[in-house]
Amino acid sequence: MRKIVFNILIVLISFSFLSFANSEDKKTNETELNLFTGMFDFSDTKQAAGLFGLQHQNDDLFRKSFLGKLSPITGGFLTENSAFYLYTGAQAEYDLGLFTITPSFAPGYYNSGDGKDLGSALEFKSEIQMSLNLSDSTEFGMSYNHISNASLGD
């Protein structure tokens, strides 16, 4: 029952923020607030859990480099098993017209709660995201990320 309630809550919150920003706000405020939902450890049937997360990005702080357009990110997620991860790092952005590809890397703090023990409080998240640009202020995307402690823990 707890999983069903958590999944319904994730869907309702996600849909309530679909029209969070409009194009006029985008011109005056380059801060992005991204909401996401998905599965944590989907390949482990005993530990798989739904998750809900929030990520902040400030485009005013971007830097152009040989790696692309880089900007800082900060965020976190909570799983239905009360595990959470808080992170800060950087992402690159590659605008391909209708699509945007966004790889990122972020170290952070992980607490297993009643969920999967990853072996260390310090974890590193690497992610690749592909987004469809629906308008100047709206993107719809999906991503895959991997969280690892780089053999710092068990």
Side-chain angles (χ1 to χ4, degrees), residues 48-49 95 133 138:
D95 189 0
N133 302 321
T138 306

Side-chain angles (χ1 to χ4, degrees), residues 24-41:
E24 291 176 346
D25 291 340
K26 183 77 173 172
K27 293 175 186 171
T28 59
N29 185 359
E30 294 297 323
T31 295
E32 289 183 19
L33 192 58
N34 302 311
L35 300 169
F36 58 91
T37 185
M39 290 296 294
F40 180 76
D41 206 7

Side-chain angles (χ1 to χ4, degrees), residues 117-135:
D117 183 3
L118 297 181
S120 174
L122 175 62
E123 298 288 334
F124 302 92
K125 179 175 81 74
S126 52
E127 179 174 25
I128 184 77
Q129 175 182 326
M130 182 174 223
S131 302
L132 174 63
N133 302 321
L134 300 175
S135 73

Side-chain angles (χ1 to χ4, degrees), residues 6-125:
F6 183 81
N7 288 334
I8 291 171
L9 181 62
I10 286 173
V11 170
L12 291 175
I13 290 172
S14 298
F15 283 123
S16 69
F17 285 100
L18 281 178
S19 61
F20 185 76
N22 64 39
S23 59
E24 291 176 346
D25 291 340
K26 183 77 173 172
K27 293 175 186 171
T28 59
N29 185 359
E30 294 297 323
T31 295
E32 289 183 19
L33 192 58
N34 302 311
L35 300 169
F36 58 91
T37 185
M39 290 296 294
F40 180 76
D41 206 7
F42 71 91
S43 61
D44 185 349
T45 56
K46 294 179 185 171
Q47 294 292 328
L51 67 80
F52 178 76
L54 182 70
Q55 179 172 292
H56 173 262
Q57 174 197 0
N58 188 336
D59 267 353
D60 288 337
L61 301 176
F62 83 91
R63 300 289 180 261
K64 289 187 178 180
S65 77
F66 69 95
L67 296 174
K69 179 181 171 183
L70 299 177
S71 62
I73 55 171
T74 303
F77 65 77
L78 174 68
T79 73
E80 65 185 296
N81 296 332
S82 302
F84 67 89
Y85 182 61
L86 303 173
Y87 60 87
T88 188
Q91 73 178 22
E93 191 173 294
Y94 304 101
D95 189 0
L96 306 174
L98 190 57
F99 294 99
T100 302
I101 297 176
T102 312
S104 66
F105 177 77
Y109 172 75
Y110 176 77
N111 183 299
S112 62
D114 295 329
K116 187 168 190 172
D117 183 3
L118 297 181
S120 174
L122 175 62
E123 298 288 334
F124 302 92
K125 179 175 81 74

